[in-house]
Amino acid sequence: MPGEKPSKETVLAWARLMRAGRHVLGAVERDLKQAGFPPLAWYDVLLELRRAKGGLRPGALEAELLIAQHNISRLLVRLEEAGLIERRRHPEDGRGQIILISEEGRALLRQMWPIYRKAIETHVGAKLKSEKEAGELARLLGALLE
């Protein structure tokens, strides 16, 4: 029906966004796994911790990553067991804790980045016609994040 919301085009955009996201994420995950690296979520957590010079509380990390609290808790345990992060008591709140990236975590980021960068180019950059098209896609997706 004309004028009906959402339009057919909007529904098609939604469906393609969901499929494309799953497809590209799966391809990137496969590339990392084939190179012997852990899942992309590990990289994302370590990157956020590296960016946060003084570490982050688990809740702040959860907000940055949009990962459910129970998932982030399990992930942090695995990262800590692997020696990639450190937990410290929060200096102003003895009950709270701060999560910091370790030197081993920084090293893993450096090792993973070349594979991750290549995967982004292979599964995204090479499929777009130009840098202009990549910029337009980034702009359109950015509108969805506002």
Side-chain angles (χ1 to χ4, degrees):
M1 194 146 92
E4 189 175 340
K5 298 287 182 182
S7 67
K8 287 181 184 179
E9 292 79 8
T10 299
V11 172
L12 179 61
W14 165 255
R16 286 186 175 174
L17 176 64
M18 293 296 98
R19 276 191 231 120
R22 280 195 310 267
H23 174 77
V24 171
L25 184 58
V28 169
E29 290 279 11
R30 279 189 301 279
D31 289 356
L32 289 171
K33 186 175 183 177
Q34 286 174 354
F37 289 116
L40 188 55
W42 287 41
Y43 185 93
D44 290 343
V45 168
L46 295 172
L47 183 63
E48 287 303 324
L49 291 173
R50 191 189 74 196
R51 287 177 176 160
K53 305 284 186 218
L56 290 171
R57 287 179 176 245
L61 184 58
E62 178 186 338
E64 289 298 319
L65 299 171
L66 301 176
I67 296 175
Q69 195 277 327
H70 65 279
N71 290 334
I72 193 79
S73 295
R74 286 187 214 135
L75 179 55
L76 291 176
V77 167
R78 285 184 288 232
L79 291 168
E80 186 175 28
E81 288 172 351
L84 302 172
I85 64 166
E86 301 171 15
R87 294 178 197 248
R88 294 193 184 152
R89 183 170 285 154
H90 193 283
E92 297 159 11
D93 176 6
R95 298 173 313 205
Q97 57 181 296
I98 296 289
I99 311 295
L100 298 143
I101 187 171
S102 69
E103 285 306 314
E104 292 86 355
R106 290 176 191 282
L108 181 61
L109 278 177
R110 287 190 301 273
Q111 293 165 5
M112 288 179 76
W113 175 241
I115 302 301
Y116 188 17
R117 179 181 59 223
K118 183 179 178 200
I120 292 169
E121 178 55 30
T122 299
H123 304 295
V124 179
K127 305 224 172 159
L128 300 172
K129 294 176 186 171
S130 65
E131 292 300 313
K132 183 178 178 186
E133 198 172 84
E136 181 65 8
L137 178 59
R139 186 190 66 74
L140 291 168
L141 293 172
L144 298 179
L145 297 172
E146 292 176 0

